[in-house]
Structures are given as structure tokens and as C-alpha cells.
Amino acid sequence: MKVSDWLSKHPTHAGVVQEDWSLEQIMQKLLSNSRLNDLYVQDEKHRVVGHLSYKKLAKLVLAEHCAAHTRSQILERVAAGSAAELMEVHFASATADEELGEIIFRQLDHWVEDLPVIDQDGKLLGVINLSDVLLAVMKSGN
């Protein structure tokens, strides 16, 4: 099955934030929907330019409640900037013309719940939600 066909049959809300959003705005978006685990950062032209994981955001928010042991943990405590400053610029994605079976292992290798499907201009077409894929596989018996 093509990724484009999957998106047609299984539309999933993508978590999107803007580059200039604060950590507070990002967390409000993340916590507004219990199914969101991955957020994607868009620039002013609506191109996907970065990824923010639930785990990274939780570490940032909870850092002040944990003892700091490493240099990176200390730096995370002071890194409360914008989405553009917090995002990962290298992230896994898929295109609409790929086969679903080809991209699932990419999703698992990068351990993202929502794999973005991006067009040639960098715009978000949708996401492949890992839980939805698992549910479909379990229902089909494969």
C-alpha cells in the first residue's frame, strides 16, 4: 500500500507548531491531545523544518525537578527557548509515493509515534501513526 493511500484511509491529526513558539505554547499544544507524541515545527512558509519529541519536551519541563548529573542535563535546564532553538533538524520522514511497508522500519528505527509525510516542497501532508498501523495489522491478522 502506498503511503498516500494509507493517509486517505487513516487521516491522523499532526502535531504542528511554529518556529517562534515558546516552550509553554509548545507544551500546551502537546498536552491538548493525548495522542500527540511528536510535534513538527513549521517555518513561515509552512515547510516542516524540525521535530520535537514528547520525551525531549518532558525532560526540558521536568529538568528543574531532577538532579543534574551531566553537562547536557545542565544545558537542558537553561534551554527554554523557541521551537526553532529546541527542535531536532534531522528527523525521519516519508513521502506519499513510498510503500507503507518500506517506511515502517524507518519509523521504528527512529522510534517516532507519528512519522511525517512530507511533499517535495517540505510541506506536511499528514502523519503515519504507529498505533494506527499496529491496530490495522492486528485486525487483519498479519
Side-chain angles (χ1 to χ4, degrees), residues 8-121:
S8 302
K9 294 176 182 176
H10 305 274
T12 302
H13 172 74
V16 176
V17 299
Q18 302 306 310
E19 286 180 300
D20 61 347
W21 280 25
S22 68
L23 181 58
E24 183 177 343
Q25 289 172 300
I26 295 166
M27 291 306 296
Q28 286 175 358
K29 175 72 173 193
L30 183 67
L31 298 173
S32 70
N33 182 338
S34 63
R35 284 195 53 142
L36 288 180
N37 287 306
D38 297 286
L39 294 176
Y40 292 93
V41 182
Q42 290 183 329
D43 66 12
E44 66 281 348
K45 294 181 180 177
H46 303 289
R47 295 176 299 206
V48 179
V49 294
H51 170 253
L52 291 164
S53 71
Y54 183 90
K55 183 178 178 181
K56 178 177 182 161
L57 292 168
K59 283 174 65 177
L60 286 170
V61 171
L62 299 173
E64 68 183 56
H65 301 288
C66 301
H69 299 288
T70 67
R71 182 172 183 236
S72 66
Q73 289 172 327
I74 293 168
L75 290 173
E76 284 177 350
R77 288 188 180 187
V78 297
S82 67
E85 296 166 331
L86 300 171
M87 70 186 183
E88 297 292 332
V89 295
H90 302 287
F91 55 93
S93 65
T95 60
D97 61 341
E98 289 184 273
E99 291 291 329
L100 186 64
E102 294 173 7
I103 63 101
I104 295 303
F105 288 105
R106 185 178 321 142
Q107 189 166 8
L108 291 170
D109 285 345
H110 289 85
W111 202 244
V112 290
E113 176 73 16
D114 296 320
L115 185 73
V117 180
I118 300 173
D119 70 12
Q120 66 274 8
D121 296 322

